[in-house]
Amino acid sequence: MKPEPLTLPPSPNWYCARCSDAAPGGIFGFAARTSVFLVRVGPSAGANPGAPPFRVVGELVGHTERVSGFTFSHHPGQYNLCATSSDDGTVKIWDVETKAVVTEHSFHQHTISALHWSPTVKDLIVSGDEKGVVFCYWLNRNDSQHFFPEPRTIFCLTCSPHHEDLVAIGYKDGIVVIIDISKKGEVIHRLRGHDDEIHSIAWCPLSGEDCLPVNQEENSEEPDIPNGKLVAETPITKGCYLATGSKDQTIRIWSCSRGRGIMVLKLPFLKRRGGGVDPAVKERLWLTLHWPNNQPTQLVSSCFGGELLLWDLTQSWRRKYTLFSTSAEGQNHSRIIFNLCPLKTEDDKQLLLSTSMDRDVKCWDMATLECCWTLPSLGGFAYSLAFSPVDVGCLAIGVGDGMIRVWNTLSIKNNYEVKSFWQGVKSKVTALCWHPNKEGCLAFGTDDGKVGLYDTCSNKPPQISSTYHKKTVYRLAWGPPVPPMSLGGEGDRPSLTLYSCGGEGIVLQHNPWKLSGEAFNINKLVRDTNSIRYKLPVHTEISWKGDGKVMALGNEDGSIEIFQVPNLKLLCTIQQHHKLVNAVVWHHEHGSRPELSCLIASGSNNAVIYVHNLRTVLESNPESPVTITEPFRTLSGHTAKVTSLAWSPHHDGRLVSACYDGTAQVWDALREEPLFNFRGHRGRLLCVAWSPVDPECIYSGADDFCVCRWLTSMQDHSRPPQGKKCIELEKKRLSQPKPKLKKKKKPTLRLPGKQDSSIVTEDESSRETSGPVENGVSDQDGEEEAQEPELPSPVVSGEAVSCIAVSLGVEKSKVTVNSKATSLKKEPPKEKPEALLKKRKARSMLPLSTSLDHRSKEELHRDCLVLATATHAKELNEDVSADLEERFHLGLFTDRATLYRMMETEGKGHLESGHPELFHQLMLWKGDLKGVLQAAAERGELTDSLVAVAPVAGYSVWLWAVEAFAKQLCFQDQYVKAASYLLSIHKVYEAVELLKSNHFYREAIAVAKARLRPEDPVLKDLYLSWGSILEKDGHYAIAAKCYLGATSAYDAAKVLARKGDAASLRTAAELASIAGESELAASLALRCAQELLLVKNWVGAQEALGLHESLQGQRLVFCLLELLCRHLEEKQPPEVRSPSSVYHQWATGSEGDLMQRVTGVWRNTFSVDTPEQCRAALKKLQDVKYPSATSNTPFRQLLLHVCHDLTLAILSQQTASWEEAVPALLQAVLRSYTSGNFTLMQEIYSAFLPSGCDYLRDKLGDLSLTTAAFKSLEAFFIYGQLYEVWWSLCGPGPESSIWVKSTVPAEQREPEDSASAEDTEPVAAAAQPQSSPPSGPGLRLSGESERLLSACRKLFSERHANLQASQRTVAEVQETLAEMIRQHQKSQLCKATANGPSRDDPGQEAEQAPSRPQSPREESNAPVSLPELTRRLTEANKKIAEFPESIKAWPFPDVLECCLVLLHIGSQCPGAVNPEMQQQAEELLQKYGHTRAYRRYCQTLHMNFQRP
């Protein structure tokens, strides 16, 4: 059975009473997110000697939401069964051996909060939910019962190990009940004592109450009368102790016979080394228990800060306990512990496994109380992987839980030796990069834009850069300093600086010596150095070449820019991707082929990976930037965005990619061939890294919270999934939890309000001292990452978030009700009067005064007397003043001061009744307009009418009122109206900025255009800002209008082209041409033509190329391509021809040969007639370079490249430049040959050299510069015809051909088993010269064939045979050396890997199988020593160096292959081959056929053709 990959699993779920368990014999499982991970513990784990005996062996996948409970069956014979409960409402029963669901039920209507498999009834599973409902499910009889003992939230439950009907249940409010399921869930005991949630219940392992020396009168805290029901003693209630752990910081031991508590243990506050107890730690507590089977007088409990205590229950009055792991510092958990479960291994060791908030799973030896081993885990997405170049084997992992892990992958003693770093991080770690030279120096970037440096060799907090990115840090890279940082002296500046690329699209350069200083945006240097006047693209990726001389920047528009140090001169732009670039990586510098260091691979949001060879650009150092539109290699197969790439440091041209399709793919980039596909993740892959020491080992991280280590040779698949497989993989990925907003409202009741609020309000300083960021996303719904770019989420546990909503729900609802009640009182007076104006009389301005004038007659009379007294009295006494103050309505009839008091009272009444507008009118009557405006502004009750009358109070008051009203309108989200008011006081810039900042760009531009000068920079900034947002949202056409408005036609054309379809590209090309951007217009027009070429729209392609004069040469190429495709199509049967092609009228004629038709169309249609015109087109086409072909090059791409070379050849002939025509024609032939397309190669010869190469020889004369190229061209011509002769002999057809004459009737001829004409491996086809019998007198060669065989002497070039043999020797020795290194590394590492014994042999077989198809004689040979291989390599390289460049420059057909074919023809037609030539072929084979590829064939020939 194939071993599981080594996995760094997700963190165990938090705040669950039982989400981990262990079965006897050594299998441990813990719930992590929506699945359960299984760990084999003990001798059967297959660990290497000296390593901890455990291994992650699998995963139970099936739930769609968080797993809240997990329990094994502890009954002999069914240890392989387990049960899980989930927030999806189901309880599933599993078989861990098959990892399949046995059965399931979904009886619960509410969230399941507790689960246990009965230890006494082998098929009983008990579960409880948050509403207090308990379900009992009997597996074997598929029966169930439900009970409702208490209307409370269940937190935990445990079945009795002594009586099959008893179940103890703990509730959120601290109540513990024991029910009897045989009596319909009757409550036997109700145990009161705890005053907070019950976290854990443990039954005493021994029945009876004799194991603890407890006196009944001992505990003074307990009442004498038992709590709960007083029941008669029965066998059920006799003799049983029960322990409960609660959040109230106490452990209570209960007597079931008496129904009361007999012991209380208060948790101690343990001071840690280096400080006191953090108050937040006291508040955040989870108290879990374990009562050891063989130690009934001892109890294990968790404590405040992750400690484990072993309590001595025989001395409870002394509160005696023993602390676990006192001998070693740092062995304890650093955060609270959630679960404890015992495990007895096959070798009878008693172990205890614990899960904690610190994300570690620890194993403890109960005999010594020491930690045996630790399994680390991840609480978030694995965003980034980086191997240290100095400390080899140290893998840094950037995780979404706010921590960095450093995994020592080479540790022999522990496969999971992981250190965690959390200080100063406080956010998702999205980017990592090790310093190339300095040990332990690790740069990190986070989701909130932070960049920092960690020293992993010390415990110091990290250095944080003072310059933050505005968005997520995408990538970090170390590179040489550039100005202004490089301007200092050698001692004043670092040799390497840190570059960071952020989500806002800029790259910052940080000084690692002074991170507190300002970081520099390199865009300014790029713009100044290259005199760029258009908008710079949004950067998304940065990568430095290994030698530090060149930097690549990937951009949001899909382009990749290559810059040269020191001033970042732009060398070239790669226009290949058309979507956001996610990954750019340079090939390593230390391979056997140094030229490969110029390869750069890139992946983007579309699924294709492109590899470009920049050797020519880097060596030529062009004055002006070059645009590259053709890839060196194309790697197709993924079906979603490519997120990460990594070159193998052990191979040449081998690449691994990570993709959103859920797989990692290994490619042979040079051959464009997929090799291995890994499908072990359950999510989208985010990062990938190749092991620096093991050539087969790759690490990958994904959004399933896992990092996997896997071997290439162990994979079952070679390419990414397509079709149905891809759909299945997508279903598998979608089975993960999805972020749901309603989950925050759905009460999970894992945490009380008190604890939740303490977690949420925990400030950063307390986090710094107490531990890592609290579960950045251990939430079981996963990180909130469905959108891109990701939104930063609060750094709190997902369960905590859920519980906050529950615990604070009551308070929130109260507040909501009150606010509604208040608003109901206020709103009707606002709305109803306006609706009822016609029906109801207008409200009085002085309602209080009016009501006082409608009192009783006595009161009115009293008013008259008071008024008279006040009017006629010379001086008012105190009584009269008091009366006037009380009867304020009399102010209408007395002096002004009293009137003002009346108005003030009336105004307060209006405000209290919710009519501020009436209050404002009163103030206006009073003449206090300024006070009215101030009061209204303070209350946010300014209105249009108030502002309209503000000028009455003066100009300054009006300005102030308008500004205050504009601010009020902004608070009310009425930004356009606010801007209008600002315009009324001539604050144009403020109005424009207000509209812009609130994304009213259209309105802002209208205002700016109408009110500002045309050359005002604000207007251009508006256009550019709006254009950037529209571009990001995919509205490319409107964005182009914005850029045109900003007079940036270049950017307009670029953004239009981002759509990538032919119509958009054509429009963009026309736009660029109108704007005078000729180079951009040409590249876009060419791209448009290539898009139309894919759908065979030849007419549209020529129209697109006609948009720009500089593409005249490309028009000739496309013309030739159209004619060649038409020519090839005419040779096909009518039923297989493509009906969708749109040909030109001139392509349908068939007069003359292809060469004549091409030159005729060029002359008549494109007016290319004179040598000068041909020379101009030739010069333009010679600047375009295409990469060499491989067997995986798509046929249409191959045709385009071949036609480009043929166009060069024809143009050279038209200008009589024969020395240029021959290499171009040879290049076309070589492309067909290296791609394995023999048919195309022969078509080229038949169309362009119908009468052979003699015509060219005559034209060349004595041009020695092209002699080697001509010889190569002639050799390939003879080579192709040689194969045609051979295939004619082997073919079953009876008709005579140009090569073969038949002398026997067809019915007498027997078909011969021969190679296919489509065979792409001629050597393989010629492998068995004796496979076909001699043809005899029934088949003879024609005269043409005999002339051809005579010309074959030109193929038997001994110099070329010698060169090819040396090249084969070099390749064979390099392959052998690489294999030796791989085998040596594998033998060294097999001891350090957990799966070594089980995978070693298959791995070697898989590695050796494809590369050595050896003969028995070869297998018996002794292995070659390293000195001998070195000697062979040196000799072969020395030989190659001695050959003249003319021989090495031009490829030549394989001489030994030609010898084999000729000898095969001679064996079929005796006498047809000249004996002298046959002898020469045999001698060449014997002399140079010593390499592995030809050894077997030469031995066979030696036996068959040996002369006596």
Side-chain angles (χ1 to χ4, degrees), residues 287-298:
L287 210 169
T288 185
L289 304 174
H290 162 61
W291 209 323
N293 276 337
N294 54 351
Q295 299 169 326
T297 61
Q298 294 181 324

Side-chain angles (χ1 to χ4, degrees), residues 1198-1230:
L1198 174 67
L1199 274 180
L1200 176 62
H1201 296 177
V1202 165
C1203 287
H1204 179 271
D1205 296 327
L1206 292 175
T1207 304
L1208 291 176
I1210 297 174
L1211 288 173
S1212 300
Q1213 290 183 31
Q1214 297 292 315
T1215 59
S1217 302
W1218 299 102
E1219 69 280 1
E1220 295 178 0
V1222 170
L1225 189 57
L1226 176 59
Q1227 189 64 40
V1229 171
L1230 288 176

Side-chain angles (χ1 to χ4, degrees), residues 1123-1135:
L1123 290 169
L1124 180 60
C1125 288
R1126 180 71 177 175
H1127 175 73
L1128 294 174
E1129 192 175 295
E1130 288 172 351
K1131 293 195 172 186
Q1132 294 177 342
E1135 61 272 10

